[in-house]
Amino acid sequence: MESSRQELLRLLAAKSFRLGEFKLSSGGTSDYYIDCRTTTLDAKGSRLTGQVFSDEIQKRGWKPRAIGGLTLGADPIVVAVSVVSGELSGFLVRKAEKQHGTGQRIEGFREKGARVVIVDDVCTTGASTVQAIEAAREFGFDIAGVMCLVEREEAEGRPSVEKAAAGAPFVSVFTARDVRVEHVSQMDDTAPVIFAVAAKCEICGRPAVTNVPRNRCEAHRA
């Protein structure tokens, strides 16, 4: 029987990962794109996300009172973890203070001094995660840890988040490579092998031995 983590990885690979040419919000380009919201807003995906994040938080002994992050990517994660855990409250960080009413930037749980965990869906440059960390600290929260669902491992994202977290651990549930490998493994491998010429494996970068259905090396052909 698959664990919740394995199920979540399979769902991310099937629903959220795409190969191609894409422009990122950071301004860069990539040969793949991950839209975690198609998984975190899926009925089964939401339950699995809540379970995996809750398990990780408990395993690390952070003991927060609440979890939260920058809208919009963090929103479904916050709700899922709050519901599944049955004990963690949630808060959302606006990208800017609202210009009416109380003008607050933190919505939901608002207890100054409380231990909290900052969450995000994808970390590329880390900008949205850093914004949430800074807003949470400015409000008066004590940050126990930082978590993202998928870390792209590029654009100096991890160093930026770790610097902003100032000692609070940063944990990624999956890396983009994890999701990519699972995505490729789910693709149709029934076509005959055709040897690739001057091509690299799309997973690891080693010389490819086939380009059907994708460029892959011997290790990742199956």
Side-chain angles (χ1 to χ4, degrees), residues 25 43 46-47 55 61 70 75 95 97 100 126 138 147 149 152 158 163 167-168 171 177 186 192 201 204 220:
S25 59
S46 177
R47 175 179 59 80
D55 289 347
L70 191 73
D75 296 9
K95 294 180 180 179
E97 292 181 354
H100 58 279
E138 183 178 350
M147 288 183 68
L149 182 53
R152 291 183 61 109
R158 175 168 284 273
K163 181 179 179 181
V171 176
R177 174 180 165 80
Q186 294 177 11
C201 175
C204 67
H220 294 115

Side-chain angles (χ1 to χ4, degrees), residues 13-182:
K15 285 182 168 290
S16 298
F17 189 93
R18 295 291 180 270
L19 291 168
E21 294 183 9
F22 302 96
K23 184 174 182 179
L24 305 176
S25 59
S26 61
T29 59
S30 176
D31 67 343
Y32 71 92
Y33 184 70
I34 302 178
D35 180 4
C36 287
R37 283 163 295 190
T38 57
T39 295
T40 58
L41 289 171
D42 174 81
K44 182 178 181 181
S46 177
R47 175 179 59 80
L48 291 171
T49 299
Q51 188 63 60
V52 170
F53 271 74
S54 295
D55 289 347
E56 189 68 32
I57 290 170
Q58 184 175 25
K59 180 179 75 175
R60 293 183 176 275
W62 288 341
K63 298 181 180 179
R65 292 285 309 282
I67 63 163
L70 191 73
T71 192
L72 184 64
D75 296 9
I77 298 175
V78 170
V79 175
V81 177
S82 183
V83 170
V84 170
S85 70
E87 58 183 23
L88 294 179
S89 296
F91 65 90
L92 302 177
V93 180
R94 291 177 176 270
K95 294 180 180 179
E97 292 181 354
K98 62 182 181 181
Q99 302 302 309
H100 58 279
T102 58
Q104 62 197 29
R105 191 176 180 190
I106 304 289
E107 300 286 358
F109 181 83
R110 289 172 56 82
E111 184 179 311
K112 291 184 181 294
R115 285 174 63 82
V116 303
V117 171
I118 301 298
V119 298
D120 209 342
D121 57 357
V122 177
C123 176
T124 304
T125 65
S128 61
T129 312
V130 169
Q131 285 186 60
I133 291 171
E134 292 174 345
R137 281 226 171 92
E138 183 178 350
F139 175 77
F141 286 142
D142 175 21
I143 298 176
V146 181
M147 288 183 68
C148 74
L149 182 53
V150 178
E151 181 185 355
R152 291 183 61 109
E153 297 183 293
E154 58 190 56
E156 297 299 313
R158 175 168 284 273
S160 296
V161 172
E162 289 179 334
K163 181 179 179 181
F170 173 43
V171 176
S172 57
V173 178
F174 303 111
T175 64
R177 174 180 165 80
D178 294 330
V179 185
R180 184 178 194 132
V181 169
E182 176 60 30

